[in-house]
Amino acid sequence: MRVLIVEDQFYSRMVLKRLMKSYGECEEVTDGKAAMDAFRRAWTSQQPYDLILLDIMMPGVDGQQALRQIRDFEMSQGVERSQLVRIIMLTALGDEQNVKKAMYDGGADAYLVKPVHVQRLNYILTELGFDPIEQAEIKQS
C-alpha cells in the first residue's frame, strides 16, 4: 500500500507517518500543490497512491482545492469510481460545512478531526478495505 500524507504541520505529519507505517510505504508533503505534483508523479510512474491523508487547512493550495484537482485528474483519465484513490480529509474544524464540502462536494471517502485518534483511524481504514501489514512482513522490510 502506498500512502501520501499531506499536512503542513511537522508534528502532525510525523504522528500520521508513525500511525500509517504499519499499513505501507508513506510519503509526505506540506501543501496542496506538492500533493498534486506527487500524485501526478506517482500516476505517471504507474505507482499510484492507494490512500491520501489530506489536511483541509494549508497555506497556498488548501486541501479542498487539492481534493477537487485530484478528482478532476482522475476523471480526465477515465478512472472508474471503484478505482479512485481513497482520500481521508483531516481537519481541526469538525464543522458541518467543511465536512459537507469534502465528503459530498469533493468526493472524499472519509474525514478525521484532529487530533487523530488511533482507534478512529484504524476503524476508517478497515471500512475502506485496508489492513495493516503483518508483523512478519514489517520485520523483513
Side-chain angles (χ1 to χ4, degrees), residues 28-42:
E28 54 193 270
V29 296
T30 60
D31 62 47
K33 182 183 180 326
M36 275 309 302
D37 293 342
F39 178 79
R40 285 190 180 115
R41 224 177 9 261

Side-chain angles (χ1 to χ4, degrees), residues 20-73:
M20 292 306 300
K21 72 180 180 181
S22 66
Y23 284 88
E25 171 191 342
C26 296
E27 294 180 39
E28 54 193 270
V29 296
T30 60
D31 62 47
K33 182 183 180 326
M36 275 309 302
D37 293 342
F39 178 79
R40 285 190 180 115
R41 224 177 9 261
W43 180 268
T44 303
S45 67
Q46 297 182 355
Q47 296 181 322
Y49 295 106
D50 301 294
L51 175 67
I52 299 175
L53 299 173
L54 183 58
D55 187 23
I56 289 179
M57 295 180 61
M58 295 181 290
V61 177
D62 69 20
Q64 298 284 13
Q65 293 167 315
L67 172 63
R68 198 170 321 108
Q69 290 175 13
I70 289 167
R71 292 303 189 218
D72 287 348
F73 178 84

Side-chain angles (χ1 to χ4, degrees), residues 17-133:
K17 189 171 183 179
R18 183 175 49 81
L19 293 173
M20 292 306 300
K21 72 180 180 181
S22 66
Y23 284 88
E25 171 191 342
C26 296
E27 294 180 39
E28 54 193 270
V29 296
T30 60
D31 62 47
K33 182 183 180 326
M36 275 309 302
D37 293 342
F39 178 79
R40 285 190 180 115
R41 224 177 9 261
W43 180 268
T44 303
S45 67
Q46 297 182 355
Q47 296 181 322
Y49 295 106
D50 301 294
L51 175 67
I52 299 175
L53 299 173
L54 183 58
D55 187 23
I56 289 179
M57 295 180 61
M58 295 181 290
V61 177
D62 69 20
Q64 298 284 13
Q65 293 167 315
L67 172 63
R68 198 170 321 108
Q69 290 175 13
I70 289 167
R71 292 303 189 218
D72 287 348
F73 178 84
E74 289 174 318
M75 286 180 58
S76 75
Q77 299 300 308
V79 178
E80 294 181 30
R81 176 75 180 130
S82 64
Q83 299 301 310
L84 297 176
V85 63
R86 300 291 188 220
I87 299 177
I88 300 173
M89 301 301 286
L90 306 170
T91 181
L93 307 172
D95 68 69
E96 240 178 79
Q97 184 178 0
N98 268 317
V99 171
K100 179 187 176 294
K101 188 173 180 181
M103 298 293 292
Y104 301 107
D105 299 340
D109 295 286
Y111 78 96
L112 282 168
V113 176
K114 296 188 284 186
V116 173
H117 296 280
V118 154
Q119 296 85 356
R120 179 76 178 138
L121 174 63
N122 288 335
Y123 173 80
I124 288 172
L125 291 170
T126 299
E127 288 293 306
L128 293 176
F130 297 116
D131 295 316
I133 300 169

